[in-house]
Amino acid sequence: MDLPIVLSHKTAWLYHNAARPLEPLSRASSLYDEGSFAGEVEPTASLPKLGLDAKGLRISAAVEIVADYLVSLGIPQEELGRIDTLVSFDFERSRPAGLRRHVFGAPIPSDHLIEVAEGLLVVDEAICLVQAGSWMSELEQLEYGFEVCARYHLNHLSSDDYVEASQRYAVADLRAFCEQNPSRRGVKRAASLLKRVKDAARSPMETATAIMVVAKRSQGGLGYTRVEFNHRVDVPNEFKYLAKAGYFEIDVYAPASGTGIEYNGSDHLDKQRSASDAERMTVLSALGFRMIVLTGTQFAHQLQLHRAMNAIALAMGLKCDRSEVFQKRQNDLREFVIRNWNGGL
């Protein structure tokens, strides 16, 4: 084939789900730039050779090679009936069987492409998040934004638990991409959504807690966006006799009101962990923080979570909406954020 295949849209999302823990991978240096192609990136010893560069390779054979490779990563075959790919301009947009080709409308930014095998690239998650609006609901895309900027990885194609991972993107990186590409399809919605996304969630439970706060009122959230994750609180010398730790981190923190929200899952039932939790709550309360604890049991029951969210709203100085209509929306949001928890509350 003359040009590398660029995985895009839902196929790229599937790839990142399955392969993100295996990265880092090679960034394409100048794909489609004049006189330069993706094959000129720095050599990566572990880059798979799929045979896509074979002379005279038919597109049908290339599609089969790519599909087999993606299946080997753990992507279900039924998700690959048509593989989403990206080209720069409309004149490149043929419609071969097995491929769904999308047009970027400009040269694809080389710093947002990752070479995953010889002759095969994938858009990075900055582009993928923007594209996700074409098949995800607004809440799904919001959650994906949190995951892209998180310190964990959750493979939605697997029943396995999340794993800790380094943060790959900051919200500022994603906003910068939107600002640099204002006319690209999906950017307007993504830019609006990113106003609610926060950096560095450490678990899906932290993400769920934050979404209950930042989601729009029309979606069942509190509609409050001025929060941050893992706010560090150093214990002053005059309070160090109260705690062993020199500092604490608050899971979700609202600076304007001094409200802290902690998520305590089943692992907090351990006796020693419970003692440490009690100690931290004592110190943080002594320092003037308004601390509220959410538990898995509350997330599992509509009325319990509703009462807890009312307490959070009250602490933040927000209206407590107790109407039946809002409670229905809030319960729908609750069911959404815990849908992949598999009983691990």
Side-chain angles (χ1 to χ4, degrees):
M1 299 182 64
D2 293 333
L3 293 173
I5 295 174
V6 180
L7 302 179
S8 181
H9 289 72
K10 190 173 183 180
T11 303
W13 177 81
L14 292 166
Y15 171 85
H16 289 301
N17 264 275
R20 189 178 179 205
L22 305 178
E23 295 178 358
L25 295 166
S26 176
R27 290 267 168 181
S29 60
S30 51
L31 182 68
Y32 301 149
D33 287 352
E34 186 175 349
S36 182
F37 293 92
E40 297 174 13
V41 297
E42 290 294 319
T44 304
S46 59
L47 211 58
K49 299 179 185 296
L50 304 181
L52 292 171
D53 57 349
K55 283 188 177 181
L57 184 69
R58 292 180 178 273
I59 188 64
S60 58
V63 170
E64 187 174 343
I65 289 171
V66 172
D68 288 345
Y69 173 66
L70 295 175
V71 168
S72 76
L73 296 177
I75 298 174
Q77 181 72 56
E78 56 268 24
E79 294 281 2
L80 301 172
R82 296 188 72 183
I83 296 171
D84 292 298
T85 63
L86 190 65
V87 295
S88 292
F89 300 107
D90 194 60
F91 70 82
E92 302 173 85
R93 187 182 183 180
S94 60
R95 290 177 173 79
L99 292 183
R100 182 184 293 109
R101 283 191 165 161
H102 305 267
V103 177
F104 188 72
I108 305 171
S110 60
D111 56 339
H112 289 284
L113 292 170
I114 301 170
E115 188 174 31
V116 301
E118 290 193 2
L120 182 66
L121 295 97
V122 63
V123 298
D124 71 359
E125 290 189 278
I127 293 183
C128 195
L129 176 67
V130 171
Q131 296 172 337
S134 65
W135 81 89
M136 287 185 178
S137 70
E138 190 171 321
L139 280 176
E140 288 172 330
Q141 194 177 13
L142 176 65
E143 180 185 62
Y144 182 36
F146 274 94
E147 292 173 346
V148 169
C149 299
R151 295 180 184 172
Y152 69 88
H153 176 65
L154 179 65
N155 184 354
H156 291 274
L157 307 179
S158 167
S159 59
D160 293 343
D161 202 357
Y162 73 95
V163 295
E164 294 181 2
S166 60
Q167 184 176 348
R168 306 302 293 272
Y169 298 87
V171 174
D173 298 330
L174 306 181
R175 286 178 177 166
F177 175 80
C178 292
E179 291 168 1
Q180 293 160 9
N181 298 276
S183 61
R184 303 281 77 81
R185 183 176 298 176
V187 162
K188 184 177 180 180
R189 172 169 152 170
S192 175
L193 171 148
L194 284 169
K195 296 175 183 177
R196 300 178 183 275
V197 174
K198 306 300 171 184
D199 280 318
R202 292 180 296 193
S203 71
M205 295 76 80
E206 285 190 5
T207 291
T209 300
I211 288 176
M212 295 301 302
V213 175
V214 306
K216 300 173 186 176
R217 289 271 180 168
S218 61
Q219 297 169 325
L222 297 183
Y224 188 82
T225 62
R226 296 190 296 275
V227 297
E228 60 189 64
F229 282 122
N230 307 312
H231 176 73
R232 176 170 171 145
V233 179
D234 291 307
V235 179
N237 288 332
E238 60 268 30
F239 286 92
K240 286 189 175 177
Y241 70 95
L242 296 177
K244 179 180 179 181
Y247 70 92
F248 297 110
E249 289 185 341
I250 300 174
D251 289 347
V252 179
Y253 179 60
S257 60
T259 302
I261 309 169
E262 291 287 309
Y263 174 81
N264 287 357
S266 57
D267 56 326
H268 287 256
L269 298 176
D270 174 78
K271 290 183 179 180
Q272 186 58 49
R273 186 70 179 270
S274 296
S276 297
D277 289 340
E279 188 174 274
R280 79 190 264 112
M281 294 298 285
T282 297
V283 175
L284 291 171
S285 296
L287 291 174
F289 293 94
R290 301 178 180 185
M291 297 303 299
I292 297 172
V293 176
L294 294 181
T295 67
T297 300
Q298 289 170 313
F299 267 100
H301 297 89
Q302 182 265 324
L303 281 175
Q304 290 187 31
L305 186 63
H306 176 64
R307 290 193 291 267
M309 295 307 298
N310 284 343
I312 292 170
L314 184 65
M316 292 180 174
L318 306 176
K319 175 186 175 182
C320 294
D321 190 340
R322 290 173 285 177
S323 68
E324 181 180 351
V325 171
F326 180 73
Q327 286 194 55
K328 171 64 168 61
R329 293 172 183 161
Q330 189 180 65
N331 188 53
D332 289 344
L333 182 60
R334 177 191 69 85
E335 291 180 344
F336 169 78
V337 298
I338 68 171
R339 72 195 186 287
N340 294 320
W341 286 16
N342 297 321
L345 297 171

